[in-house]
Amino acid sequence: MLDRYEQFSFIVSVINRQIQKLERDEMVKHGYKGAFAQYLMIMRHHPEGVTAAQLCELCDKDKAAVSRVTNEMLEKKLVVRSNLNDTLYRAKLTLTEEGRRIADFISQRAMAAVEAVGNELTDEERKQFYSILDFIALRLQSISKDGIPQE
């Protein structure tokens, strides 16, 4: 039998892999990489633009990953870079019309997936689930920052 850590980490890993697969499957319909989905969704919530540094923080990715993906999205004309007199890392990235269209598509597909996954949950179960999940995420962030408490 799995212990609590193994069970928890296995379930979270399965969920993460399946989300990435769904993103990949949906993005390929438009000829784009699945990795774009998370960035586009974040940028959709920041219409004024975000910097690469902010994307690192918001997507929990390193500079190299953000640079690679944003350069690909620039080439595909999903985003534009402004404030070019600043460093590339601090220049604002905003969605183009095509970028907004794809981000809206991903948002709609994500909503459909979330509805399909949780359609048998009551509103109270869903509320409790997200509350517990949020609690776990915040505690893990704290432990990751401060270290695992000693017994």
Side-chain angles (χ1 to χ4, degrees), residues 1 35 43 52 55 57 67 80 82-83 86 89 92-93 97-98 118 120 131 140:
M1 180 163 151
M43 294 177 75
L55 280 176
E57 177 84 18
S67 179
V80 293
S82 57
N83 298 345
D86 212 342
Y89 196 61
K92 291 272 185 171
L93 294 159
E97 187 175 321
E98 174 70 357
E120 294 182 23
S131 175
L140 283 171

Side-chain angles (χ1 to χ4, degrees), residues 5-45:
Y5 169 77
E6 289 171 328
Q7 184 178 20
F8 175 79
S9 62
F10 177 76
I11 292 168
V12 169
S13 181
V14 168
I15 291 169
N16 186 51
R17 282 194 313 272
Q18 295 309 309
I19 288 171
Q20 289 176 347
K21 182 185 181 316
L22 290 170
E23 289 172 344
R24 207 173 31 252
D25 291 350
E26 292 301 317
M27 291 299 286
V28 78
K29 292 176 183 178
H30 295 275
Y32 300 120
K33 291 183 176 183
F36 293 3
Q38 183 181 22
Y39 294 88
L40 292 171
M41 293 301 295
I42 294 291
M43 294 177 75
R44 182 175 182 264
H45 292 286

